[in-house]
Amino acid sequence: MPIYEYIASDPEKGCRSCRNGFELRRPADREPLEVCPLCKSPVKKVISKINTPKITKPMSVTDAKKAGFTILEKRCDGNYEKL
Ligand SMILES: [Zn+2]
């Protein structure tokens, strides 16, 4: 059974569960859940994490160097120093 993630469509009105989002195991052929089972506030389905591209963390200096980038850091005197 797939797990769906839901979150309150109006976070102001939801309960503790749906305000932060909750997961629900539900048969795929079942109609989508429209209200929170706890507080009956309208909820919307969160697009599955699997389908969302992973947020790439900012490249660190080390990673950048490994990838062949030249890191230049601006010094207070206005010059750039090659790291
Ligand atoms: Zn709720």
Side-chain angles (χ1 to χ4, degrees):
M1 237 189 284
I3 294 172
Y4 294 102
E5 224 182 310
Y6 293 92
I7 195 158
S9 20
D10 186 354
E12 302 281 300
K13 285 179 189 152
C15 65
R16 211 143 44 96
S17 298
C18 57
R19 257 193 312 226
N20 300 318
F22 58 92
E23 287 177 347
L24 201 69
R25 214 174 271 267
R26 238 172 127 75
D29 56 357
R30 197 79 75 76
E31 279 171 38
L33 190 78
E34 284 178 339
V35 293
C36 169
L38 296 172
C39 67
K40 311 290 176 206
S41 287
V43 289
K44 60 183 176 194
K45 197 155 96 181
V46 179
I47 306 300
S48 170
K49 281 172 195 161
I50 301 155
N51 296 330
T52 47
K54 273 186 198 147
I55 297 155
T56 44
K57 54 176 183 180
M59 215 192 269
S60 74
V61 172
T62 324
D63 288 342
K65 273 195 204 170
K66 262 188 240 161
F69 286 91
T70 305
I71 313 298
L72 295 172
E73 200 174 72
K74 198 178 182 195
R75 294 297 176 192
C76 15
D77 57 7
N79 291 316
Y80 289 88
E81 185 178 313
K82 195 175 167 186
L83 293 179

Coordinates of all heavy atoms in Angstrom, one line a residue:
M1 N 0.8 -1.2 0.0 CA 0.0 0.0 0.0 C 0.9 1.2 0.0 O 1.8 1.3 0.8 CB -0.9 0.0 1.2 CG -2.4 0.1 0.9 SD -3.3 0.3 2.4 CE -3.3 -1.3 3.2
P2 N 0.6 2.1 -0.9 CA 1.5 3.3 -0.9 C 1.2 4.3 0.3 O 0.1 4.3 0.8 CB 1.1 4.0 -2.2 CG -0.3 3.5 -2.6 CD -0.5 2.2 -1.9
I3 N 2.2 5.0 0.6 CA 2.0 6.0 1.7 C 1.9 7.3 1.1 O 2.7 7.7 0.2 CB 3.2 5.9 2.7 CG1 3.3 4.6 3.4 CG2 3.2 7.1 3.7 CD1 4.5 4.3 4.2
Y4 N 0.8 8.0 1.5 CA 0.6 9.4 1.0 C 0.9 10.4 2.1 O 0.7 10.0 3.3 CB -0.8 9.5 0.5 CG -1.1 8.7 -0.7 CD1 -1.8 7.5 -0.5 CD2 -0.7 9.0 -1.9 CE1 -2.1 6.7 -1.6 CE2 -1.0 8.2 -3.0 CZ -1.7 7.1 -2.9 OH -2.0 6.3 -3.9
E5 N 1.3 11.5 1.6 CA 1.6 12.5 2.6 C 0.6 13.7 2.4 O 0.4 14.1 1.3 CB 3.0 13.1 2.4 CG 3.8 13.2 3.6 CD 5.1 13.8 3.4 OE1 5.8 13.3 2.5 OE2 5.5 14.8 4.0
Y6 N 0.0 14.1 3.5 CA -1.0 15.1 3.4 C -0.6 16.3 4.3 O 0.1 16.1 5.4 CB -2.3 14.6 3.9 CG -2.9 13.6 2.9 CD1 -2.7 12.3 3.2 CD2 -3.7 14.0 1.9 CE1 -3.2 11.3 2.3 CE2 -4.2 13.1 1.0 CZ -4.0 11.7 1.2 OH -4.5 10.8 0.4
I7 N -1.0 17.5 4.0 CA -0.8 18.6 4.8 C -2.0 19.5 4.8 O -2.7 19.6 3.7 CB 0.5 19.3 4.4 CG1 1.0 20.3 5.5 CG2 0.4 20.0 3.1 CD1 2.4 20.6 5.5
A8 N -2.3 20.2 5.8 CA -3.5 21.1 5.9 C -3.4 22.1 4.8 O -2.3 22.8 4.6 CB -3.6 21.8 7.2
S9 N -4.5 22.3 4.0 CA -4.4 23.4 3.0 C -4.4 24.8 3.6 O -4.0 25.7 3.0 CB -5.5 23.2 2.0 OG -6.6 22.5 2.4
D10 N -5.0 24.8 4.8 CA -4.9 26.1 5.6 C -4.3 25.8 6.9 O -4.9 25.3 7.8 CB -6.3 26.7 5.7 CG -6.3 28.0 6.4 OD1 -5.2 28.5 6.8 OD2 -7.4 28.6 6.5
P11 N -3.0 26.0 7.0 CA -2.2 25.6 8.2 C -2.8 26.3 9.5 O -2.6 25.9 10.6 CB -0.8 26.1 7.9 CG -0.7 26.3 6.4 CD -2.1 26.6 6.0
E12 N -3.5 27.4 9.3 CA -4.0 28.2 10.4 C -5.1 27.4 11.1 O -5.3 27.5 12.3 CB -4.6 29.5 9.9 CG -3.6 30.4 9.2 CD -2.7 31.1 10.2 OE1 -3.2 31.9 11.0 OE2 -1.5 30.9 10.1
K13 N -5.8 26.5 10.3 CA -7.0 25.9 10.9 C -6.7 24.4 11.3 O -7.5 23.9 12.0 CB -8.1 25.9 9.8 CG -8.7 27.3 9.7 CD -9.8 27.2 8.6 CE -10.3 28.6 8.3 NZ -10.8 28.8 7.0
G14 N -5.7 23.9 10.8 CA -5.4 22.5 11.0 C -5.1 22.1 12.5 O -4.8 23.0 13.3
C15 N -5.1 20.9 12.8 CA -4.6 20.4 14.1 C -3.1 20.2 14.1 O -2.5 20.4 13.0 CB -5.4 19.1 14.5 SG -5.0 17.7 13.5
R16 N -2.6 19.7 15.2 CA -1.1 19.6 15.2 C -0.6 18.6 14.1 O 0.4 18.8 13.6 CB -0.8 19.0 16.6 CG 0.6 19.4 17.1 CD 0.6 19.7 18.6 NE -0.2 18.7 19.4 CZ 0.4 17.6 19.9 NH1 1.7 17.5 19.9 NH2 -0.3 16.8 20.6
S17 N -1.4 17.6 13.8 CA -1.0 16.6 12.9 C -0.9 17.2 11.5 O 0.1 17.1 10.8 CB -1.9 15.4 12.8 OG -1.9 14.8 14.0
C18 N -2.0 17.8 11.1 CA -2.1 18.1 9.6 C -1.4 19.5 9.4 O -1.0 19.7 8.2 CB -3.5 18.2 9.1 SG -4.6 19.2 10.0
R19 N -1.2 20.3 10.4 CA -0.4 21.5 10.2 C 1.0 21.2 9.7 O 1.5 21.9 8.9 CB -0.4 22.3 11.5 CG -1.4 23.5 11.4 CD -1.1 24.4 12.6 NE -0.9 23.7 13.8 CZ -1.5 24.0 15.0 NH1 -2.2 25.1 15.0 NH2 -1.3 23.3 16.1
N20 N 1.6 20.2 10.3 CA 2.9 19.8 10.0 C 3.0 18.7 8.9 O 4.0 18.3 8.5 CB 3.7 19.3 11.2 CG 3.7 20.4 12.3 OD1 3.9 21.6 12.0 ND2 3.5 20.0 13.5
G21 N 1.8 18.3 8.6 CA 1.8 17.2 7.6 C 1.8 15.8 8.2 O 2.4 15.7 9.3
F22 N 1.1 14.9 7.6 CA 1.1 13.5 8.2 C 1.1 12.5 7.0 O 0.8 12.9 5.9 CB -0.1 13.3 9.1 CG -1.4 13.5 8.4 CD1 -2.1 12.4 7.8 CD2 -2.0 14.8 8.4 CE1 -3.3 12.6 7.2 CE2 -3.2 15.0 7.8 CZ -3.9 13.9 7.2
E23 N 1.5 11.3 7.4 CA 1.6 10.3 6.3 C 0.5 9.3 6.6 O 0.1 9.0 7.7 CB 2.9 9.6 6.4 CG 4.0 10.4 5.8 CD 5.4 9.8 5.9 OE1 5.5 8.8 6.7 OE2 6.3 10.3 5.3
L24 N -0.1 8.8 5.5 CA -1.2 7.9 5.6 C -1.0 6.8 4.6 O -0.8 7.0 3.4 CB -2.5 8.6 5.4 CG -3.8 8.0 5.9 CD1 -3.8 8.0 7.4 CD2 -5.0 8.8 5.4
R25 N -1.2 5.6 5.1 CA -1.1 4.4 4.2 C -2.5 4.2 3.6 O -3.5 4.2 4.4 CB -0.7 3.2 5.0 CG 0.1 2.2 4.3 CD 0.5 1.2 5.2 NE 1.8 1.5 5.9 CZ 3.0 1.2 5.4 NH1 3.1 0.5 4.3 NH2 4.1 1.5 6.0
R26 N -2.7 4.2 2.4 CA -4.0 4.1 1.7 C -3.9 3.3 0.5 O -3.0 3.4 -0.3 CB -4.4 5.6 1.4 CG -5.7 6.0 2.0 CD -5.8 7.5 1.7 NE -7.1 7.8 1.1 CZ -8.2 7.8 1.8 NH1 -8.2 7.5 3.1 NH2 -9.4 8.1 1.2
P27 N -5.0 2.5 0.2 CA -5.0 1.8 -1.0 C -5.0 2.7 -2.2 O -5.7 3.8 -2.1 CB -6.3 1.0 -1.0 CG -6.8 1.1 0.4 CD -6.2 2.3 1.0
A28 N -4.3 2.4 -3.3 CA -4.1 3.3 -4.4 C -5.5 3.6 -5.1 O -5.6 4.6 -5.7 CB -3.1 2.7 -5.4
D29 N -6.4 2.6 -5.0 CA -7.7 2.8 -5.7 C -8.7 3.6 -4.8 O -9.8 3.9 -5.3 CB -8.3 1.5 -6.1 CG -8.4 0.5 -4.9 OD1 -8.1 0.9 -3.8 OD2 -8.9 -0.6 -5.2
R30 N -8.3 4.0 -3.6 CA -9.2 4.8 -2.8 C -9.2 6.2 -3.2 O -8.1 6.7 -3.7 CB -8.7 4.6 -1.3 CG -9.7 5.0 -0.3 CD -10.8 3.9 0.0 NE -10.3 2.8 0.7 CZ -10.1 2.8 2.1 NH1 -10.3 3.9 2.8 NH2 -9.8 1.7 2.7
E31 N -10.3 6.9 -3.0 CA -10.3 8.3 -3.3 C -9.3 9.1 -2.5 O -9.1 8.7 -1.3 CB -11.7 8.9 -3.0 CG -12.7 8.6 -4.1 CD -14.1 8.9 -3.7 OE1 -14.3 9.9 -3.0 OE2 -15.1 8.1 -4.0
P32 N -8.8 10.2 -3.0 CA -7.8 10.9 -2.2 C -8.5 11.5 -1.0 O -9.7 11.9 -1.0 CB -7.4 12.0 -3.2 CG -8.4 12.1 -4.3 CD -9.0 10.7 -4.4
L33 N -7.8 11.6 0.0 CA -8.3 12.1 1.3 C -8.4 13.6 1.1 O -7.6 14.3 0.6 CB -7.2 11.8 2.4 CG -7.6 12.1 3.8 CD1 -8.5 11.0 4.3 CD2 -6.4 12.2 4.7
E34 N -9.6 14.1 1.6 CA -9.8 15.6 1.4 C -9.8 16.3 2.7 O -9.6 17.5 2.8 CB -11.1 15.8 0.7 CG -10.9 15.5 -0.8 CD -12.2 15.6 -1.6 OE1 -13.3 15.6 -1.0 OE2 -12.0 15.8 -2.8
V35 N -10.1 15.6 3.8 CA -10.1 16.3 5.1 C -9.2 15.5 6.1 O -9.1 14.3 5.9 CB -11.5 16.4 5.7 CG1 -12.3 17.4 4.9 CG2 -12.2 15.1 5.8
C36 N -8.7 16.2 7.0 CA -7.9 15.5 8.1 C -8.8 14.6 8.9 O -9.8 15.0 9.3 CB -7.3 16.6 8.9 SG -6.5 16.0 10.4
P37 N -8.3 13.4 9.1 CA -9.1 12.4 9.9 C -9.3 12.8 11.3 O -10.2 12.4 12.0 CB -8.4 11.1 9.8 CG -7.2 11.3 8.9 CD -7.1 12.8 8.6
L38 N -8.5 13.7 11.8 CA -8.6 14.1 13.2 C -9.4 15.4 13.4 O -10.3 15.4 14.2 CB -7.2 14.4 13.7 CG -6.2 13.2 13.8 CD1 -4.8 13.6 14.2 CD2 -6.7 12.1 14.8
C39 N -9.2 16.4 12.6 CA -9.9 17.6 12.9 C -10.8 18.0 11.7 O -11.5 19.0 11.8 CB -8.9 18.7 13.1 SG -7.9 19.2 11.7
K40 N -10.9 17.2 10.7 CA -11.8 17.5 9.5 C -11.5 18.8 8.8 O -12.3 19.3 8.1 CB -13.2 17.5 10.0 CG -13.6 16.3 10.8 CD -13.7 15.0 10.0 CE -14.0 13.8 11.0 NZ -13.4 12.5 10.4
S41 N -10.3 19.3 8.9 CA -9.9 20.4 8.2 C -9.5 20.0 6.8 O -9.0 18.9 6.6 CB -8.7 21.2 8.8 OG -9.1 21.8 10.0
P42 N -9.7 20.8 5.8 CA -9.2 20.4 4.4 C -7.7 20.2 4.4 O -7.0 20.9 4.9 CB -9.7 21.6 3.5 CG -10.3 22.6 4.4 CD -10.3 22.1 5.8
V43 N -7.4 19.1 3.7 CA -6.0 18.8 3.5 C -5.7 18.6 2.1 O -6.6 18.3 1.3 CB -5.5 17.5 4.3 CG1 -5.5 17.7 5.8 CG2 -6.4 16.3 3.9
K44 N -4.5 18.7 1.7 CA -4.0 18.5 0.3 C -2.9 17.5 0.4 O -2.2 17.3 1.3 CB -3.6 19.8 -0.4 CG -2.5 20.4 0.3 CD -2.2 21.8 -0.4 CE -1.0 22.5 0.4 NZ -0.9 23.8 0.1
K45 N -2.8 16.8 -0.7 CA -1.8 15.7 -0.8 C -0.5 16.4 -1.1 O -0.4 17.3 -2.0 CB -2.2 14.7 -1.9 CG -1.4 13.5 -1.8 CD -2.1 12.3 -2.5 CE -1.6 12.2 -3.9 NZ -2.4 11.1 -4.6
V46 N 0.6 16.0 -0.4 CA 1.9 16.5 -0.7 C 2.5 15.6 -1.8 O 2.4 14.4 -1.7 CB 2.8 16.4 0.6 CG1 4.2 16.9 0.3 CG2 2.1 17.2 1.7
I47 N 3.1 16.2 -2.8 CA 3.7 15.4 -3.8 C 4.8 14.5 -3.2 O 5.6 15.0 -2.5 CB 4.3 16.3 -4.9 CG1 3.2 17.3 -5.4 CG2 4.9 15.5 -6.1 CD1 2.0 16.6 -6.0
S48 N 4.8 13.3 -3.6 CA 5.7 12.3 -3.0 C 7.1 12.8 -3.1 O 7.6 13.3 -4.0 CB 5.5 11.0 -3.7 OG 6.6 10.1 -3.4
K49 N 7.8 12.5 -2.0 CA 9.2 12.9 -1.9 C 10.0 12.2 -2.9 O 11.0 12.8 -3.4 CB 9.8 12.5 -0.5 CG 9.4 13.4 0.6 CD 9.8 12.8 1.9 CE 9.1 13.5 3.1 NZ 9.1 12.7 4.3
I50 N 9.6 11.0 -3.3 CA 10.4 10.3 -4.3 C 10.4 11.1 -5.7 O 11.4 11.0 -6.3 CB 9.7 8.9 -4.5 CG1 9.7 8.1 -3.2 CG2 10.5 8.1 -5.6 CD1 8.6 7.1 -3.1
N51 N 9.3 11.8 -6.0 CA 9.3 12.4 -7.3 C 9.9 13.8 -7.2 O 10.2 14.4 -8.3 CB 7.8 12.6 -7.7 CG 7.2 11.2 -7.9 OD1 7.9 10.3 -8.3 ND2 5.9 11.1 -7.7
T52 N 10.1 14.4 -6.0 CA 10.7 15.7 -6.0 C 12.2 15.6 -6.0 O 12.8 14.8 -5.4 CB 10.3 16.4 -4.7 OG1 10.4 15.6 -3.6 CG2 8.8 16.9 -4.8
P53 N 12.8 16.5 -6.8 CA 14.2 16.4 -6.9 C 14.9 16.8 -5.5 O 14.4 17.6 -4.8 CB 14.6 17.5 -7.9 CG 13.4 18.3 -8.1 CD 12.2 17.5 -7.6
K54 N 15.9 16.1 -5.2 CA 16.6 16.3 -4.0 C 17.2 17.7 -4.0 O 17.7 18.2 -5.0 CB 17.7 15.3 -3.8 CG 17.2 14.1 -3.1 CD 18.4 13.1 -2.8 CE 17.9 11.7 -2.5 NZ 18.8 10.7 -3.0
I55 N 17.0 18.4 -2.9 CA 17.6 19.7 -2.8 C 19.1 19.6 -2.6 O 19.6 18.9 -1.7 CB 17.0 20.5 -1.6 CG1 15.5 20.7 -1.8 CG2 17.7 21.8 -1.4 CD1 14.7 20.9 -0.5
T56 N 19.8 20.1 -3.6 CA 21.3 20.0 -3.5 C 21.8 21.0 -2.5 O 21.5 22.1 -2.6 CB 21.9 20.2 -4.9 OG1 21.3 21.3 -5.5 CG2 21.7 19.0 -5.8
K57 N 22.6 20.5 -1.7 CA 23.2 21.3 -0.7 C 24.3 22.2 -1.3 O 24.9 21.8 -2.3 CB 23.8 20.5 0.5 CG 24.8 19.5 0.0 CD 25.4 18.8 1.2 CE 26.4 17.7 0.8 NZ 27.1 17.0 1.8
P58 N 24.5 23.4 -0.8 CA 25.5 24.2 -1.4 C 26.9 23.6 -1.4 O 27.2 22.9 -0.5 CB 25.5 25.5 -0.5 CG 24.6 25.2 0.6 CD 23.8 24.0 0.3
M59 N 27.6 23.8 -2.5 CA 28.8 23.2 -2.7 C 29.9 23.8 -1.7 O 29.9 25.0 -1.6 CB 29.3 23.4 -4.1 CG 30.1 22.2 -4.7 SD 30.9 22.7 -6.2 CE 29.6 22.3 -7.4
S60 N 30.6 22.9 -1.1 CA 31.6 23.4 -0.2 C 32.9 23.7 -0.9 O 33.0 23.3 -2.1 CB 31.9 22.4 0.9 OG 32.6 21.3 0.4
V61 N 33.8 24.4 -0.3 CA 35.0 24.8 -1.0 C 35.7 23.5 -1.4 O 36.2 23.4 -2.5 CB 35.9 25.7 -0.1 CG1 37.3 25.9 -0.7 CG2 35.2 27.0 0.1
T62 N 35.8 22.6 -0.5 CA 36.5 21.3 -0.8 C 35.8 20.6 -2.0 O 36.6 20.1 -2.9 CB 36.4 20.4 0.4 OG1 36.5 21.2 1.6 CG2 37.5 19.4 0.4
D63 N 34.5 20.5 -2.0 CA 33.8 19.8 -3.1 C 34.1 20.6 -4.4 O 34.4 19.9 -5.4 CB 32.3 19.8 -2.8 CG 31.9 18.9 -1.7 OD1 32.7 18.0 -1.4 OD2 30.8 19.0 -1.2
A64 N 34.1 21.9 -4.3 CA 34.3 22.7 -5.5 C 35.7 22.4 -6.1 O 35.9 22.3 -7.3 CB 34.0 24.1 -5.2
K65 N 36.6 22.4 -5.2 CA 38.0 22.2 -5.6 C 38.2 20.8 -6.2 O 38.8 20.7 -7.2 CB 38.9 22.2 -4.4 CG 39.4 23.7 -4.1 CD 40.6 23.6 -3.1 CE 40.7 24.9 -2.3 NZ 41.7 24.7 -1.3
K66 N 37.5 19.8 -5.6 CA 37.6 18.5 -6.1 C 37.0 18.4 -7.6 O 37.5 17.7 -8.4 CB 36.8 17.5 -5.2 CG 37.7 16.8 -4.3 CD 36.9 15.7 -3.6 CE 36.9 15.9 -2.1 NZ 35.8 15.3 -1.4
A67 N 36.0 19.2 -7.8 CA 35.3 19.3 -9.1 C 36.1 20.1 -10.1 O 35.7 20.2 -11.2 CB 33.9 19.8 -8.9
G68 N 37.2 20.7 -9.6 CA 38.0 21.4 -10.5 C 37.8 22.9 -10.6 O 38.3 23.5 -11.5
F69 N 37.0 23.4 -9.7 CA 36.7 24.8 -9.7 C 37.9 25.5 -9.0 O 38.5 25.0 -8.1 CB 35.5 25.1 -8.9 CG 34.2 24.8 -9.6 CD1 33.7 23.5 -9.5 CD2 33.6 25.7 -10.5 CE1 32.5 23.2 -10.2 CE2 32.4 25.3 -11.1 CZ 31.9 24.1 -11.0
T70 N 38.1 26.7 -9.4 CA 39.1 27.6 -8.7 C 38.3 28.5 -7.8 O 37.4 29.2 -8.2 CB 39.9 28.4 -9.7 OG1 40.5 27.5 -10.6 CG2 41.0 29.2 -9.0
I71 N 38.6 28.4 -6.5 CA 37.9 29.2 -5.6 C 38.7 30.5 -5.3 O 39.8 30.5 -5.0 CB 37.7 28.5 -4.2 CG1 37.2 27.1 -4.5 CG2 36.8 29.3 -3.3 CD1 35.8 27.0 -5.1
L72 N 38.0 31.6 -5.5 CA 38.6 32.9 -5.2 C 37.9 33.5 -4.1 O 36.7 33.6 -4.0 CB 38.5 33.8 -6.5 CG 39.3 33.3 -7.7 CD1 39.0 34.2 -8.9 CD2 40.8 33.3 -7.5
E73 N 38.6 33.9 -3.1 CA 38.0 34.6 -2.0 C 38.5 36.0 -2.0 O 39.6 36.3 -2.1 CB 38.5 33.9 -0.7 CG 37.5 34.2 0.4 CD 37.9 33.3 1.7 OE1 38.9 33.6 2.3 OE2 37.2 32.4 1.9
K74 N 37.5 36.9 -1.8 CA 37.8 38.3 -1.8 C 38.4 38.7 -0.4 O 37.8 38.5 0.6 CB 36.5 39.1 -2.1 CG 36.9 40.5 -2.6 CD 35.6 41.3 -2.9 CE 36.1 42.7 -3.4 NZ 35.0 43.7 -3.4
R75 N 39.5 39.3 -0.5 CA 40.2 39.8 0.7 C 39.7 41.2 1.0 O 39.3 41.9 0.1 CB 41.7 39.7 0.6 CG 42.2 38.3 0.5 CD 41.9 37.5 1.7 NE 42.3 36.1 1.6 CZ 42.0 35.2 2.4 NH1 41.2 35.5 3.4 NH2 42.4 33.9 2.3
C76 N 40.0 41.6 2.2 CA 39.5 43.0 2.6 C 40.2 44.1 1.9 O 39.7 45.1 1.7 CB 39.6 43.2 4.1 SG 40.6 42.0 5.0
D77 N 41.4 43.8 1.3 CA 42.1 44.8 0.6 C 41.6 44.9 -0.9 O 42.1 45.7 -1.6 CB 43.6 44.6 0.6 CG 44.0 43.3 0.1 OD1 43.2 42.5 -0.5 OD2 45.2 42.9 0.2
G78 N 40.6 44.1 -1.2 CA 40.0 44.2 -2.5 C 40.6 43.3 -3.5 O 40.1 43.1 -4.6
N79 N 41.6 42.6 -3.1 CA 42.2 41.6 -4.0 C 41.6 40.2 -3.8 O 41.0 39.9 -2.7 CB 43.7 41.5 -3.8 CG 44.4 42.8 -4.2 OD1 44.1 43.3 -5.3 ND2 45.3 43.2 -3.4
Y80 N 41.7 39.4 -4.8 CA 41.1 38.1 -4.7 C 42.3 37.1 -4.5 O 43.3 37.2 -5.1 CB 40.4 37.7 -6.0 CG 39.1 38.4 -6.1 CD1 39.0 39.6 -6.7 CD2 37.9 37.8 -5.6 CE1 37.8 40.3 -6.8 CE2 36.7 38.5 -5.7 CZ 36.7 39.7 -6.3 OH 35.5 40.4 -6.4
E81 N 42.1 36.3 -3.5 CA 43.1 35.3 -3.2 C 42.7 33.9 -3.7 O 41.6 33.5 -3.4 CB 43.4 35.2 -1.7 CG 44.6 34.3 -1.3 CD 44.8 34.4 0.2 OE1 44.9 35.5 0.7 OE2 44.9 33.3 0.7
K82 N 43.6 33.3 -4.4 CA 43.3 31.9 -4.9 C 43.5 30.9 -3.8 O 44.5 30.9 -3.1 CB 44.2 31.6 -6.1 CG 43.8 30.4 -6.9 CD 44.7 30.2 -8.1 CE 44.4 28.8 -8.7 NZ 45.3 28.5 -9.7
L83 N 42.4 30.2 -3.5 CA 42.5 29.2 -2.4 C 43.1 27.9 -2.8 O 42.7 27.5 -3.9 CB 41.2 29.0 -1.7 CG 40.6 30.3 -1.0 CD1 39.2 29.9 -0.4 CD2 41.5 30.7 0.1
Ligands
ZN1 ZN -6.1 18.0 11.4

